[in-house]
Amino acid sequence: RLLRNMLTGMLPESIGYLENLESLWLRENGDIYGEIPVSYQQQSFVVDVDLAHMSLSGQISSEQWIAWSYAEHVDLGSNLFDGEIASEIGLLRDVTYLDLFDNNWSGLIPTEMGEMERLQDLYLEGNNLQGNIPSQLAQLEQLSLLHVYDNALTGAVPDELCERVRNNQLELAVDCDLVKCPEDCGCICGQPGGNNRRRRSQGQ
């Protein structure tokens, strides 16, 4: 773990050749920039990925999501990643915490996220995501937190998700100016830059 240091430059390609690496923690090294090296696609044993609060950019390839398919915790928040979220993200069947907050992701929220059966906390706020909130997310029986505000999402909150909110099974934060949420649904109206986040305590 090399979190909260004063590291600079680009991510070392050599880290990708550590084939038995299980934890990739480099968060809060704000001067680390550039794309994730292709060599990181060999990290098939990684269960903990934390590259948050840096200046990483580019797109996360389908191959990278496949390499991280055994991860239980993935935090890529507060970077400069862009492009669409690849459908292969749905292969992360063991992930419980996924944070893509405060990047430049665009396009639709992949319906394949509804296949991430162990997911509990999902942070997607602060991006450029469009379209509707997929009803498939209601299939995630362990999902207890879903933040999607500060995007360009439209439409209505799916009835299936509202039911989870009403039953106190889900905390749902949306942009109430763009997304229609029934009064009896109990959505949180998230505000850009607001204190609407509940984060994993470890390493925070």
Side-chain angles (χ1 to χ4, degrees):
R1 297 185 178 186
L2 297 172
L3 68 160
R4 299 189 183 120
N5 283 285
M6 299 179 66
L7 302 178
T8 62
M10 303 179 73
L11 289 175
E13 183 178 350
S14 57
I15 290 179
Y17 299 120
L18 301 174
E19 296 183 0
N20 295 318
L21 187 69
E22 295 185 359
S23 294
L24 179 62
W25 276 57
L26 292 167
R27 67 175 293 125
E28 296 184 35
N29 286 288
D31 289 330
I32 291 183
Y33 63 91
E35 300 185 5
I36 296 178
V38 174
S39 62
Y40 286 42
Q41 296 173 14
Q42 302 181 46
Q43 298 172 332
S44 57
F45 292 100
V46 170
V47 295
D48 204 340
V49 179
D50 198 330
L51 300 175
H53 299 281
M54 299 198 286
S55 299
L56 299 175
S57 59
Q59 301 185 19
I60 304 294
S61 67
S62 299
E63 292 79 10
Q64 189 62 70
W65 290 122
I66 293 171
W68 289 340
S69 60
Y70 291 102
E72 299 174 3
H73 169 266
V74 177
D75 192 344
L76 303 177
S78 294
N79 277 289
L80 301 170
F81 293 118
D82 58 22
E84 297 186 0
I85 302 173
S87 61
E88 284 78 7
I89 197 172
L91 296 174
L92 279 66
R93 305 292 170 81
D94 294 324
V95 72
T96 61
Y97 181 100
L98 178 60
D99 193 339
L100 304 182
F101 157 79
D102 191 23
N103 279 280
N104 295 311
W105 307 104
S106 59
L108 305 177
I109 298 176
T111 58
E112 289 81 2
M113 282 187 165
E115 301 171 9
M116 304 166 74
E117 54 194 26
R118 296 187 60 195
L119 188 59
Q120 298 174 16
D121 295 339
L122 176 57
Y123 295 96
L124 295 174
E125 72 268 34
N127 287 288
N128 299 309
L129 297 171
Q130 302 172 346
N132 298 329
I133 301 172
S135 61
Q136 289 84 351
L137 295 180
Q139 301 171 184
L140 302 173
E141 297 180 357
Q142 299 186 48
L143 187 67
S144 60
L145 185 147
L146 174 60
H147 285 188
V148 294
Y149 62 92
D150 196 15
N151 279 288
L153 298 170
T154 55
V157 174
D159 293 338
E160 299 90 341
L161 285 175
C162 269
E163 187 65 23
R164 297 280 307 279
V165 176
R166 293 188 190 102
N167 293 332
N168 295 317
Q169 298 172 328
L170 176 66
E171 176 185 301
L172 175 61
V174 302
D175 188 334
C176 295
D177 292 331
L178 298 175
V179 176
K180 182 179 179 182
C181 185
E183 291 184 4
D184 64 342
C185 183
C187 300
I188 296 172
C189 294
Q191 299 295 326
N195 185 20
N196 302 292
R197 295 168 60 76
R198 186 181 77 220
R199 300 294 300 271
R200 189 180 75 156
S201 59
Q202 180 181 359
Q204 303 298 312

